[in-house]
């Protein structure tokens, strides 16, 4: 079956500042679930200027205790892999991430884009599409998908709040129209 979560936000800050804040967003005291983020690969295509990064995030397992009675859900941490392609010339950054834990039972994928806003070139548009599907858990599939959908939606909103806070700290008030 699966569930999807779509997010659209306009940050009233320039693209370069938004991307810089995104890259230093975690770990952060506002979201204690993200334990660490490590760059495992980074390279620049000299012909295009595109910077490719692969990062691994280690997050606390947030599955409710009651559901952790199922053996496969008892892990303390969950790992996520994120790949990004930062194109400073076109002022966009594409991001793909997926869960490395529970891959035989669940699929969690997100695709995101930061790009210069059409409304105002000093603003940055953020678009994210996430999809979670769970198999092999029998009657728990729907319960876990519902929990995952809620967590993903809340996580996206929390991530946006953290970005706004970081941007305000680093750059001051948002830019007016």
């Amino acid at each position: 079956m699966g569930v999807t979560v779509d997010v659209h936000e306009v940050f009233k800050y320039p693209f370069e500042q938004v991307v810089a804040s995104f890259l230093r967003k975690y770990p952060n005291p506002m979201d204690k679930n993200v334990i660490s983020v490590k760059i495992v690969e980074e390279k620049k295509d000299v012909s295009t200027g595109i910077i490719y990064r692969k990062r691994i995030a280690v997050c606390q397992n947030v599955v409710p205790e009651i559901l952790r009675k199922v053996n496969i859900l008892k892990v303390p941490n969950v790992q996520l892999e994120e790949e990004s392609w930062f194109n400073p010339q076109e002022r966009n950054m594409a991001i793909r991430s997926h869960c490395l834990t529970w891959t035989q039972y669940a699929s969690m994928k997100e695709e995101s884009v930061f790009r210069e806003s059409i409304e105002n070139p000093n603003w940055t548009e953020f678009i994210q599409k996430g999809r979670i599907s769970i198999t092999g858990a029998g009657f728990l599939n729907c319960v876990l998908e519902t929990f995952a959908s809620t967590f993903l939606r809340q996580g996206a909103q929390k991530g946006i709040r953290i970005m706004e806070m970081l941007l305000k700290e680093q750059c001051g008030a948002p830019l007016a129209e």
Side-chain angles (χ1 to χ4, degrees), residues 8 22 25 27 36 61 65 68 81 104 112 123 136 148 154:
H8 183 261
F22 172 79
K25 180 169 69 168
S36 67
N61 181 355
E65 276 302 319
R68 289 197 210 179
E81 179 182 83
Q104 68 273 38
S112 309
W123 295 353
Q154 289 173 347

Side-chain angles (χ1 to χ4, degrees), residues 9-10 17 20 33 37 82 86 99 111 118 123 136 148 160 168:
E9 182 74 19
V10 175
Q17 292 173 341
N33 293 326
V37 177
E82 173 194 273
F86 171 61
C99 186
E111 292 187 3
I118 297 166
W123 295 353
I160 288 168
K168 209 172 267 187

Side-chain angles (χ1 to χ4, degrees), residues 2-154:
V3 292
T4 59
V5 174
D6 294 336
V7 176
H8 183 261
E9 182 74 19
V10 175
F11 295 100
K12 293 183 177 181
Y13 293 91
F15 171 76
E16 293 77 11
Q17 292 173 341
V18 172
V19 167
S21 291
F22 172 79
L23 292 172
R24 69 174 183 277
K25 180 169 69 168
Y26 296 116
N28 185 302
M30 283 183 66
D31 190 347
K32 295 183 186 334
N33 293 326
V34 181
I35 298 166
S36 67
V37 177
K38 180 180 170 186
I39 297 173
V40 294
E41 185 179 352
E42 184 170 8
K43 57 188 173 187
K44 181 177 184 175
D45 183 321
V46 291
S47 65
T48 63
I50 295 173
I51 299 170
Y52 168 81
R53 280 184 195 89
K54 184 188 290 188
R55 305 192 303 174
I56 303 292
V58 177
C59 305
Q60 288 181 3
N61 181 355
V62 295
V63 172
E65 276 302 319
I66 189 127
L67 296 175
R68 289 197 210 179
K69 304 278 187 235
V70 179
N71 270 343
I72 61 163
L73 300 177
K74 284 186 182 177
V75 300
N77 299 323
V78 175
Q79 289 193 335
L80 304 172
E81 179 182 83
E82 173 194 273
E83 294 178 283
S84 64
W85 294 264
F86 171 61
N87 187 332
Q89 291 170 334
E90 293 187 14
R91 298 185 84 208
N92 70 49
M93 185 165 81
I95 305 154
R96 276 197 320 238
S97 56
H98 64 275
C99 186
L100 298 172
T101 309
W102 302 312
T103 55
Q104 68 273 38
Y105 302 102
S107 169
M108 189 287 293
K109 297 179 183 206
E110 286 179 348
E111 292 187 3
S112 309
V113 174
F114 287 100
R115 64 183 181 205
E116 183 179 293
S117 173
I118 297 166
E119 290 178 62
N120 183 326
N122 291 315
W123 295 353
T124 306
E125 190 174 12
F126 172 63
I127 300 165
Q128 183 178 64
K129 293 183 182 300
R131 178 162 178 75
I132 297 173
S133 56
I134 298 174
T135 58
F139 72 95
L140 285 178
N141 285 0
C142 286
V143 173
L144 291 169
E145 283 179 352
T146 300
F147 168 76
S149 172
T150 301
F151 181 75
L152 196 61
R153 202 170 267 111
Q154 289 173 347

